[in-house]
Amino acid sequence: MTSNTPQPDPSDRTTTEGRNALVVGATGIGGSALVDLLTQQGWPVTALSRRPGAEREGVRPLSADLRSAEDLARVLADERPTHVFFTAWSRQATEEENIAVNGGMVRDLLAALSHAPLEHVALVTGLKHYLGPFEAYGQGNMPDTPFHEEEARLDAPNFYYAQEDELFAAAERDDFTWSVHRSHTVIGHAVGNAMNMGLTLAVYASICRELGTPFVFPGSLTQWNGLTDMTDATVLAEQMLWASTSPAGRNEPFNVVNGDVFRWRWMWTRLAEYFGVEPVGPVAEPNPLEQQMVDAQDVWQRIVEKNGLVESDLGRIASWWHTDADLGREIEVVTDISKSRLAGFTVHHRTVDSFTALFDRYRADRLIPGA
């Protein structure tokens, strides 16, 4: 029996010889997971962020303002990475500003590296490629689910499109290959991130336990009952590394999720069991956490003091607005990953295991209270 599935080329095994990585947004969810993976595999890593992260062996920190072309040119003047992993973004008030700032960051960073021997640049975007920007989220003529990479762009301004166009232009100018990684609700280990459902739900459950209140699903009936999927940051990191070192990953966009699908009405019970709280389903209309938690800082401070936690600023660990946006959707959001599977990327996680492993790590790092 023959197979149409491309088989890995044994001669293309990942090697670090002559390679060095620049991770942009290295302290964020995706960037942190990439730094972990690359160092585990022996890559020399330069970790670029606005503020340097904790010191670690095998990682050279670098600080720059990604929104300043001058600062990037100064900081990167002597850098010579072969592989760039771009995982950063900066939230702005309007999509017009998102396009100017986030498209500009990709443009200016790659311009500042035009002297470097770049082989590949991997860019993280997301499913707003198919759903539209926050200003018009889920509106207009969206493609049917599951979303496929070959769908045409929506007829609406979108900073993901601007980032892609800057990547494509630089690749043509400087002769490197590229990949785009469209993730869905990334959960991972990071603090101070604008989009972190994993830590947000862990904090919400911890507050519910402290107050003795039920763990109420804050989102819509559509999300509670419908199928969905998510992306573990470690899976995203694995796919980015695979695409940057495999011929099958060159010059292609890929959806990236864990590989399973679930319903929140099933997942919510499992999360509640982990934290020892009572799971309760949604009411008729979403009840956003951003409104519920507006006065929760005092409760969190009490939890921090009682349990010896390391982060007392609730705003740095809970991104209520982003979790509300995901859980409050009135549309189905699920992704097709056949393209990467057939190209040879086969990493698979169960999302419930991703959540519990992440919660274990948060507890070990004293970001949330123990059992």
Side-chain angles (χ1 to χ4, degrees):
M1 180 182 295
T2 60
S3 170
N4 292 324
T5 303
Q7 298 302 308
D9 181 352
S11 66
D12 192 61
R13 292 172 183 157
T14 299
T15 175
T16 61
E17 184 177 352
R19 291 172 169 173
N20 58 88
L22 174 68
V23 178
V24 184
T27 59
I29 294 177
S32 295
L34 265 166
V35 170
D36 287 344
L37 178 62
L38 290 164
T39 54
Q40 287 166 11
Q41 297 206 4
W43 283 64
V45 175
T46 300
L48 178 64
S49 56
R50 188 177 181 87
R51 298 177 183 85
E55 291 188 12
R56 55 187 298 176
E57 186 177 354
V59 179
R60 186 169 60 92
L62 205 61
S63 297
D65 182 356
L66 294 178
R67 295 170 298 181
S68 167
E70 294 77 14
D71 199 36
L72 286 169
R74 176 185 60 82
V75 170
L76 298 175
D78 296 324
E79 299 299 318
R80 297 182 62 80
T82 58
H83 293 69
V84 173
F85 302 89
F86 196 100
T87 71
W89 83 293
S90 178
R91 185 189 182 194
Q92 305 299 310
T94 68
E95 192 61 17
E96 182 179 2
E97 293 172 279
N98 274 326
I99 290 169
V101 171
N102 291 283
M105 290 195 305
V106 174
R107 178 193 65 236
D108 295 339
L109 180 126
L110 294 177
L113 290 171
S114 60
H115 63 277
L118 293 183
E119 297 177 16
H120 189 93
V121 177
L123 170 68
V124 177
T125 64
L127 296 197
K128 288 188 291 298
H129 185 96
Y130 311 108
L131 292 163
F134 287 120
E135 291 178 5
Y137 195 64
Q139 302 173 21
N141 188 27
M142 293 187 308
D144 286 337
T145 55
F147 297 132
H148 301 84
E149 292 91 339
E150 63 268 23
E151 304 289 354
R153 290 179 174 182
L154 301 179
D155 185 18
N158 192 317
F159 82 83
Y160 285 160
Y161 304 163
Q163 288 184 309
E164 285 188 348
D165 289 343
E166 296 293 353
L167 174 64
F168 301 157
E172 183 173 357
R173 179 191 70 223
D174 295 330
D175 193 27
F176 57 78
T177 61
W178 56 266
S179 57
V180 174
H181 305 266
R182 298 171 186 163
S183 57
H184 180 202
T185 311
V186 182
I187 58 172
H189 189 276
V191 176
N193 193 271
M195 301 189 295
N196 192 346
M197 182 187 284
L199 189 50
T200 299
L201 291 182
V203 169
Y204 173 43
S206 299
I207 290 173
C208 290
R209 188 172 66 178
E210 175 70 17
L211 297 176
T213 55
F215 184 52
V216 180
F217 185 76
S220 67
L221 287 166
T222 300
Q223 290 305 303
W224 181 255
N225 292 316
L227 288 172
T228 192
D229 50 26
M230 292 179 68
T231 308
D232 190 311
T234 64
V235 175
L236 173 59
E238 292 270 12
Q239 192 193 74
M240 293 181 79
L241 181 55
W242 163 79
S244 72
T245 55
S246 167
R250 295 171 186 163
N251 302 329
E252 295 288 350
F254 295 104
N255 294 333
V256 52
V257 289
N258 288 350
D260 66 339
V261 294
F262 63 91
R263 302 181 199 275
W264 277 109
R265 68 188 188 207
W266 179 87
M267 183 68 75
W268 203 249
T269 299
R270 274 72 190 171
L271 303 188
E273 287 174 353
Y274 183 96
F275 289 100
V277 291
E278 177 190 357
V280 174
V283 294
E285 296 293 331
N287 187 16
L289 291 171
E290 192 165 28
Q291 297 173 16
Q292 292 186 53
M293 298 291 124
V294 68
D295 296 320
Q297 178 61 53
D298 288 345
V299 178
W300 182 249
Q301 184 65 41
R302 187 167 77 227
I303 293 171
V304 168
E305 294 172 358
K306 183 187 297 185
N307 295 275
L309 305 185
V310 297
E311 181 55 71
S312 60
D313 184 352
L314 189 57
R316 276 183 50 77
I317 58 175
S319 52
W320 307 121
W321 70 274
H322 182 258
T323 296
D324 287 335
D326 274 6
L327 299 185
R329 293 181 295 211
E330 296 292 351
I331 52 175
E332 178 184 74
V333 180
V334 67
T335 308
D336 182 87
I337 54 173
S338 300
K339 181 177 179 179
S340 62
R341 290 285 190 262
L342 293 172
F345 180 74
T346 58
V347 175
H348 181 103
H349 280 210
R350 285 202 324 162
T351 301
V352 66
D353 296 335
S354 294
F355 269 121
T356 56
L358 194 56
F359 297 155
D360 287 345
R361 188 173 175 189
Y362 291 153
R363 282 180 167 173
D365 289 349
R366 293 189 294 130
L367 287 168
I368 60 173

